[in-house]
């Protein structure tokens, strides 16, 4: 990919600076309820991956699809549970990049 | 602090059952009461673990309904819920109530009815144990969570699919001689690795089956246990801990801290180390889970669990028999009943009455786990000579 991927929409605790991938309701570190947007570099790495072939009721008909735990952010990373756009070959330590967030779900693809 | 003993046990068979949920619970509780000399007026409270009766059966208020149906009039009751650890938590609450002197005799039961539900309702109900805002939104299922765990485990430790399959082979072999098990037929490594993929790298035979069933125990203060049975089983230690709420919350997906923390608490209280344990019933909802659990409970070094099961070290005649009952993989997993079901199996071992008896079992451990490693209970039990 020659273009850099979209920024990843992380958030940061406004009080202690702790970084979050999935939104927190309250900061685990300091208890603050105030968060600020903190976009990160959209490049990441797969930590673990599975392919869902027997989905739950909300994903009937979408199978098979890949779900992964991904570390994203460049210098400073956050770990998120995400979908991988069709690439069953991806696995631990493979590079990925952020695509977008749809219906609250982060999507990544092979970098 | 009072010492606590199991003085009575009862169970239904696990599998596809016709009875309603209250009847299942009443049957197990009735059998537990009949197994000992506890009169109904001796019982101070009843605690019941259940996960999805509200969603699947439209039936709540289970604890008082079961209590009233067995003739326990007026006693306090409550339902505990922690997904697959629901009745492990019920046991823990009863144990603490006796330990602190609040109660002398408490009935604990776990009950679940699952097999008659429509598949879509069933998956939705089970999915309620995941965090809907994060893991759940991606479509990650329970097999999917353990698929991630196994993917990482194999990557880090070089375990093979065949080694992992050995868990299912062992537990199905054990279940074949357990009349309480849903699956009574053995499988081979080839059967497991050729079965259809469910959540890569997990396949169908890596997954425990749903089941209906109930199990119950009667717990009593050690001071009065002798008046109820000739063979009280002392509870040597108990642990209960919270872990991580979703897959992304783990720094290391191959270690479920709920288990390590609960185990540490139970070992400390029992004043034993993992090497003192003679027989184990642990939470093998998936083959990969048994391997991780066996390491998290301190029986094997990180990364050694897969080779250990493949080498037969956890067979009934091995150095540390794990899941001689057949575990969840063969007995089935009636979610809310599983925790007490495991304790029932360990008690049989410590009484020397199990179909797959471990020779000379003096110390047994039961490990129950709920959600994506969200909650765990660990119970250490001793033979009657250890009261």
């Amino acid at each position: 990919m020659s273009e850099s991927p979209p920024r990843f929409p992380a958030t940061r605790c406004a009080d202690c600076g702790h970084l979050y991938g999935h939104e927190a309701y309250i900061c685990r570190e300091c208890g603050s309820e105030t968060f600020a947007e903190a976009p990160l570099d959209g490049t990441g790495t797969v930590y673990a991956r599975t392919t869902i072939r027997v989905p739950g009721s909300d994903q009937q008909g979408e199978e098979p699809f890949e779900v992964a735990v991904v570390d994203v952010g460049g210098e400073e990373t956050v770990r998120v549970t995400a979908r991988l756009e069709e690439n069953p070959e991806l696995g631990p330590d493979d590079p990925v990049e952020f695509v977008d967030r749809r219906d609250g779900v982060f999507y990544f693809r092979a970098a | 602090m009072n010492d606590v003993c199991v003085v009575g046990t009862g169970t239904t068979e696990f599998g596809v059952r016709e009875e309603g949920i209250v009847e299942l619970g009443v049957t197990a509780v009735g059998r537990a009461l009949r197994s000992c000399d506890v009169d109904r007026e001796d019982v101070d409270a009843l605690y019941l673990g259940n996960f999805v009766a509200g969603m699947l059966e439209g039936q709540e208020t289970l604890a008082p309904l079961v209590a009233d149906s067995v003739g326990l009039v007026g006693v306090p009751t409550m339902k505990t819920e922690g997904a697959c650890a629901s009745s492990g938590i019920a046991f823990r609450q009863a144990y603490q109530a006796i330990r602190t002197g609040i109660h002398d005799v408490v009935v604990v039961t776990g009950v679940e009815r699952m097999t008659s539900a429509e598949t879509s309702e069933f998956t939705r109900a089970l999915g309620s144990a995941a965090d809907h805002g994060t893991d759940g939104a991606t479509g990650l299922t329970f097999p999917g969570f353990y698929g991630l765990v196994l993917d990482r485990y194999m990557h880090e430790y070089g375990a093979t699919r065949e080694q992992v399959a050995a868990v299912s082979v062992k537990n199905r072999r054990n279940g074949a001689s357990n009349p309480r098990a849903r699956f009574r037929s053995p499988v081979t490594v080839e059967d497991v690795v050729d079965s259809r993929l469910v959540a890569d790298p997990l396949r169908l035979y890596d997954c425990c089956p749903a089941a209906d069933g109930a199990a119950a125990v009667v717990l009593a203060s050690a001071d009065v246990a002798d008046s109820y049975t000739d063979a009280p089983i002392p509870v040597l230690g108990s642990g209960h801990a919270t872990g991580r709420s979703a897959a992304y919350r783990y720094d290391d997906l191959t270690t479920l801290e709920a288990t390590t923390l609960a185990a540490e608490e139970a070992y400390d209280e029992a004043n034993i180390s993992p090497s003192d344990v003679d027989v184990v019933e642990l939470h093998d909802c998936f083959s990969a889970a048994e391997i991780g659990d066996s390491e998290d409970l301190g029986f094997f070094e990180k990364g050694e669990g897969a080779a250990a099961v493949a080498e037969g070290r956890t067979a009934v005649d091995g150095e540390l028999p794990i899941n001689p009952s057949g575990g969840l993989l063969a007995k089935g997993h009636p979610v809310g009943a599983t925790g007490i079901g495991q304790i029932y199996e360990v008690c049989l071992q410590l009484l020397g009455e199990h179909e797959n008896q471990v020779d000379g079992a003096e110390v047994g451990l039961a490990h129950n786990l709920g959600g994506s490693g969200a909650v765990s209970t660990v119970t250490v039990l001793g033979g009657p000579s250890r009261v």
Side-chain angles (χ1 to χ4, degrees):
Chain A
M1 293 288 170
S2 52
E3 289 180 38
S4 59
R7 306 279 283 167
F8 179 85
T11 54
R12 198 181 284 283
C13 172
D15 290 333
C16 76
H18 195 77
L19 200 59
Y20 290 91
H22 293 282
E23 294 89 345
Y25 309 116
I26 172 174
C27 180
R28 285 190 185 90
E29 300 297 315
C30 76
S32 169
E33 294 180 24
T34 313
F35 296 90
E37 289 182 5
L40 302 177
D41 184 299
T43 58
T45 309
V46 174
Y47 172 72
R49 185 214 112 256
T50 186
T51 301
I52 304 295
R53 299 175 191 274
V54 182
S57 43
D58 293 342
Q59 286 80 24
Q60 290 292 328
E62 295 179 40
E63 73 273 20
F65 55 88
E66 277 68 45
V67 176
V69 176
V70 172
D71 294 318
V72 59
E75 287 277 307
E76 211 179 356
T77 61
V78 288
R79 181 166 283 186
V80 293
T81 306
R83 281 276 194 106
L84 298 180
E85 302 211 310
E86 296 176 31
N87 192 334
E89 301 305 306
L90 288 171
D93 298 347
D94 286 339
V96 289
E97 58 184 32
F98 180 59
V99 177
D100 61 1
R101 188 176 199 182
R102 304 196 290 275
D103 300 326
V105 179
F106 301 119
Y107 285 81
F108 287 81
R109 68 183 171 203
Chain B
M1 290 288 206
N2 298 323
D3 288 335
V4 181
C5 297
V6 178
V7 297
T9 60
T11 192
T12 68
E13 292 171 5
F14 286 8
V16 179
R17 305 198 60 88
E18 295 300 313
E19 305 99 311
I21 188 129
V22 172
E23 187 181 353
L24 287 169
V26 167
T27 302
V29 170
R31 288 174 181 174
L33 288 168
R34 280 199 306 278
S35 76
C36 57
D37 295 326
V38 171
D39 295 326
R40 279 156 179 68
E41 51 270 24
D42 299 325
V43 176
D44 296 320
L46 177 141
Y47 296 162
L48 178 146
N50 171 263
F51 178 36
V52 289
M55 282 182 277
L56 292 184
E57 304 275 308
Q59 180 70 71
E60 288 285 9
T61 334
L62 274 174
L65 291 183
V66 168
D68 183 51
S69 299
V70 298
L72 293 175
V73 179
V75 301
T77 66
M78 71 171 176
K79 168 180 157 173
T80 59
E81 186 275 319
C84 320
S86 293
S87 61
I89 295 168
F91 183 95
R92 163 76 171 193
Q93 297 306 303
Y95 169 77
Q96 290 189 311
I98 295 170
R99 198 141 166 76
T100 53
I102 294 167
H103 295 313
D104 288 325
V105 179
V106 181
V107 171
V108 191
T109 185
V111 57
E112 204 74 75
R113 196 159 177 272
M114 305 163 73
T115 66
S116 53
E118 295 290 329
T119 303
S120 61
E121 285 180 6
F122 176 80
T123 54
R124 183 170 172 273
L126 287 190
S128 72
D131 179 16
H132 282 196
T134 58
D135 282 4
T138 66
L140 186 69
T141 57
F142 266 97
F145 175 79
Y146 280 97
L148 292 171
V149 169
L150 182 57
D151 186 52
R152 189 68 203 181
Y153 184 91
M154 290 169 73
H155 176 76
E156 283 197 29
Y157 299 111
T160 66
R161 256 316 338 225
E162 286 72 18
Q163 287 176 325
V164 177
V167 174
S168 300
V169 175
K170 167 182 69 74
N171 291 357
R172 289 287 293 263
R173 183 173 65 236
N174 293 348
S177 44
N178 182 348
R180 296 169 297 284
R182 176 172 181 179
F183 285 165
R184 305 288 308 278
S185 56
V187 295
T188 64
V189 168
E190 291 69 30
D191 290 335
V192 180
V193 300
D194 292 340
S195 64
R196 79 185 165 99
L197 282 163
V198 172
D200 309 25
L202 283 179
R203 294 171 179 269
L204 185 62
Y205 286 9
D206 291 303
C207 307
C208 69
D212 312 317
V217 294
V218 183
L219 289 182
S221 171
D223 303 342
V224 295
D226 284 347
S227 56
Y228 300 127
T229 178
D230 297 334
I233 302 284
V235 183
L236 304 177
S238 161
H240 177 193
T242 294
R244 304 284 171 143
S245 57
Y248 74 95
R249 290 278 301 131
Y250 288 85
D251 292 330
D252 174 3
L253 253 182
T254 68
T255 301
L256 304 186
E257 296 130 299
T259 297
T260 58
L261 293 168
E264 198 176 325
E265 185 185 6
Y267 289 141
D268 283 354
E269 190 172 66
N271 196 25
I272 63 163
S273 66
S275 60
D276 297 316
V277 176
D278 301 316
V279 60
V280 181
E281 289 288 334
L282 56 68
H283 204 90
D284 59 321
C285 45
F286 301 95
S287 55
E290 173 162 324
I291 291 166
D293 295 343
S294 71
E295 297 173 6
D296 291 343
L297 291 165
F299 300 128
F300 301 106
E301 293 295 318
K302 288 297 296 178
E304 282 186 9
V309 64
E311 291 162 6
R313 292 162 65 187
T314 59
V316 174
D317 60 356
E319 69 191 61
L320 179 67
I322 291 179
N323 289 329
S325 72
L328 283 59
L329 283 165
K331 256 191 98 177
H333 186 22
V335 174
T338 289
I340 299 297
Q342 294 169 312
I343 287 168
Y344 179 95
E345 300 286 339
V346 171
C347 286
L348 278 195
Q349 289 282 354
L350 296 170
L351 292 168
E353 296 170 1
H354 201 279
E355 294 82 357
N356 290 320
Q357 183 62 42
V358 173
D359 287 344
E362 280 287 319
V363 177
L365 181 144
H367 160 257
N368 198 195
L369 184 80
S372 310
V375 52
S376 178
T377 61
V378 172
T379 309
V380 178
L381 299 150
S385 65
R386 289 180 168 255
V387 173

